Every structure is written in C-alpha cells, then in structure tokens.
Amino acid sequence: DHVWIYHRPRSVDESQQANAAPAVLEFDHEGNFVQAWGGPGDGYEWPANEHGIEVDNQGFVWLGGNSGDPESDDMLLKFTSKGEFVMQIGGRGQSNGNTDTNNLNRPAEAAVYQNTNEVFVADGYGNRRVIVFDADTGEFKRMWGAFENEPLEASEDQPPPDELLGPQQFGTVHGIEVSNDGLVYVSDRDINRVQVFAIDGTYQTQVFVNRDANVNSTAGLAFSPDPGQQFVYVADLGNNHIHVLDRQTLEVLDTFGSKGLEPGQFGGVHHIATDSQGNLYTAEAQEGRRAQKLVFTGMGPAS
C-alpha cells in the first residue's frame, strides 16, 4: 500500500530545477515521503521522457519512456525497490518496428503477472502491440496486436475500420493490467476502447468507453482489490473522468470527475491505481502535475 510516482524532473520549470525531485518517488499510504531515486547511471540507458511505472509482487520496479526525439526510448528498465539496476530490455533508438522481438518502441506501461512470471508491455507509442517477456531473463515470449491480429506499421496500408468494432489495429497501446484470473486488459487510448485477451494473446472481447466524446478516453486501468476484482476503473484523459466498469460484463456502471484543478477534479488524468482498501490514486500529466488520493467510502445501491 505504498504509493509510487514516476515523474519528469526535466519538465520542472527552470526556476525550480534545483528543487526537482528524482524521477521515482515512494510515499507511504498516508502520503509521507519514504525515498526517491532514478536518473542516468552506469549500465543502462535512462529514458529521455519518463512514462509508466510498475511495482511487481517481488518489489521490483519497472520503468519505461516514450520520447521520440532525438532517439526513441526503445527500452524497459528493471530496478530493485531501492533503485539498484537489475535489467534492461531493448535499447535507445534500436527499434526495427512491430516485428522486432529484442527492442520496444516507446513503451507506455508494463504489468507483471506473477503466476507465469512474465512482464506484459503496452508497446504503444511507436509500435502497436502487446509484447511479453520473461520477468527474470528478459527473454521474448510472444506478442500480438488488436483483435489478435498481426500488428502493422502505421505507414502500412490498413484495412477499413469496422463500423461496429472499430479499427483492426491498435491506436496507442497505453495501459495494461493482468487480472487475478489471467486476463490481459489493454487500453487502446486513441480509439476509446479496452480490449481483453487471454494470457496467450487470444482475443476475448472489447468495450468502447465514452466512444463519441474526445479521444484518449481510455488512458489507464486499475482493478478493485477484492479477490474477484469486480470492477475496472478507467482513467479518461481526454474528458477528465473516471469510469467504473463491471469487469464481467464491461458495462459502465458509473462515471465521475470533471475538468479543473480543485481537489477531486482532474487536469489530464493519465494513470490510475488502487490500494488494498479500494482507495483510488490518480496521476495527472501536463496540466495537473499532481497525484490525488480518492478515498473509498463503501458500496451503495445503483442510482
């Protein structure tokens, strides 16, 4: 139940650069500072633009980056909880596209599934795929695109989108989570949908969330902490909402939040997480530049 925040020290205003915290920050459940670390070092390539953090069941911290200038962040980094470097998958400016099994291409987020000891990567700013590696060795396991299709380069000819199902390729593969029962949930941010796959990449189903509103309505995902993970929370970056979905039916049960910088409002809600008590944590990029804790107050009847 500690809170881990991954931010961009180089984006801090020039006048405050001397006070910029390191990129990785740890707080306890009451918001008290615990430690901070991160940045360039020996033996690894630090991202030019920090993006996506995952703390796995063994306490390892996985970090990505989504910069494309001057060279793209085509790697995923693994550290101990104290900031000691463990492993790098891929290398800066090394991607050969969606068929490359050694490098990523501006990965957005990762999720580690302890039952198979695999790391699932939303390889989605430069590529358009989910790619899976062994969490200990970094060995490539498998990959897939939207609807279990082979992922194509953005420059390649695309089949026309289906009126009901939407495009046959991912837009921006931005958020990824693996449920306790072994389903992979992928937020296809630009297309306002969440797709669900089996562990082996077999397509299961999808849902559009706020489909006709602004783009980027499915930026981040989190599950409720009950054993069955009854609910899926979706961070709506484009519209500054949180959507609550029934995980079995994918029905949207509730939506809350509005644009603004007051407590409880959002300014670019980018990622979301839950703790063991059901509290929600939101991270706001660009506009809000903050994290918020929303306290779970219990279940009530549907309105």
Side-chain angles (χ1 to χ4, degrees):
D1 279 350
H2 279 206
V3 182
W4 292 80
I5 296 175
Y6 189 36
H7 85 117
R8 297 166 176 162
R10 287 160 290 192
S11 72
V12 173
D13 293 340
E14 185 176 353
S15 63
Q16 293 293 321
Q17 273 292 322
N19 296 323
V24 179
L25 301 164
E26 181 186 2
F27 300 87
D28 68 17
H29 69 283
E30 295 179 344
N32 297 308
F33 173 76
V34 176
Q35 64 164 341
W37 50 264
D42 295 333
Y44 60 87
E45 296 170 298
W46 187 260
N49 198 54
E50 294 84 357
H51 195 293
I53 182 170
E54 158 84 350
V55 182
D56 68 24
N57 60 296
Q58 298 182 68
F60 291 110
V61 182
W62 299 79
L63 305 171
N66 72 333
S67 177
D69 182 31
E71 292 182 299
S72 58
D73 291 331
D74 297 340
M75 60 283 188
L76 185 71
L77 301 176
K78 179 181 181 181
F79 291 87
T80 69
S81 62
K82 300 301 182 182
E84 299 167 343
F85 173 65
V86 176
M87 180 173 64
Q88 176 173 318
I89 301 174
R92 173 169 286 122
Q94 297 298 308
S95 174
N96 288 310
N98 282 285
T99 61
D100 189 342
T101 58
N102 294 315
N103 297 283
L104 303 161
N105 194 340
R106 305 168 64 204
E109 193 175 38
V112 175
Y113 185 51
Q114 63 180 6
N115 290 13
T116 60
N117 193 40
E118 294 174 325
V119 57
F120 293 72
V121 186
D123 192 18
Y125 272 92
N127 286 329
R128 299 193 293 182
R129 65 183 183 179
V130 172
I131 188 167
V132 186
F133 302 94
D134 183 280
D136 286 338
T137 66
E139 176 189 0
F140 167 75
K141 293 295 194 70
R142 57 196 173 278
M143 63 183 180
W144 65 84
F147 297 105
E148 200 182 330
N149 294 328
E150 178 184 353
L152 301 176
E153 302 302 319
S155 59
E156 296 184 66
D157 291 337
Q158 307 298 314
D162 182 277
E163 185 175 344
L164 180 64
L165 298 177
Q168 296 299 297
Q169 293 285 315
F170 284 129
T172 298
V173 193
H174 194 263
I176 191 165
E177 297 293 337
V178 184
S179 61
N180 292 338
D181 54 2
L183 293 174
V184 183
Y185 290 73
V186 180
S187 64
D188 192 1
R189 192 184 76 178
D190 298 359
I191 304 178
N192 293 2
R193 65 185 176 187
V194 176
Q195 293 203 336
V196 185
F197 301 86
I199 285 293
D200 64 1
T202 304
Y203 172 74
Q204 304 292 300
T205 187
Q206 73 168 12
V207 62
F208 286 93
V209 180
N210 217 3
R211 183 177 188 178
D212 298 325
N214 293 333
V215 296
N216 301 332
S217 72
T218 55
L221 304 170
F223 300 127
S224 58
D226 54 286
Q229 297 176 313
Q230 182 178 358
F231 304 111
V232 182
Y233 300 99
V234 179
D236 187 336
L237 172 66
N239 304 282
N240 287 293
H241 300 320
I242 302 297
H243 304 284
V244 185
L245 278 60
D246 182 294
R247 192 171 71 86
Q248 296 301 318
T249 67
L250 297 183
E251 176 189 0
V252 178
L253 303 174
D254 190 25
T255 296
F256 62 90
S258 61
K259 182 178 177 60
L261 298 180
E262 296 298 318
Q265 294 182 312
F266 303 113
V269 58
H270 196 242
H271 280 292
I272 190 168
T274 55
D275 65 17
S276 67
Q277 304 303 309
N279 302 312
L280 288 177
Y281 299 82
T282 60
E284 298 170 51
Q286 284 86 40
E287 297 173 63
R289 292 190 173 195
R290 62 181 175 177
Q292 295 193 74
K293 178 180 180 179
L294 308 177
V295 178
F296 178 68
T297 57
M299 300 279 285
S303 58

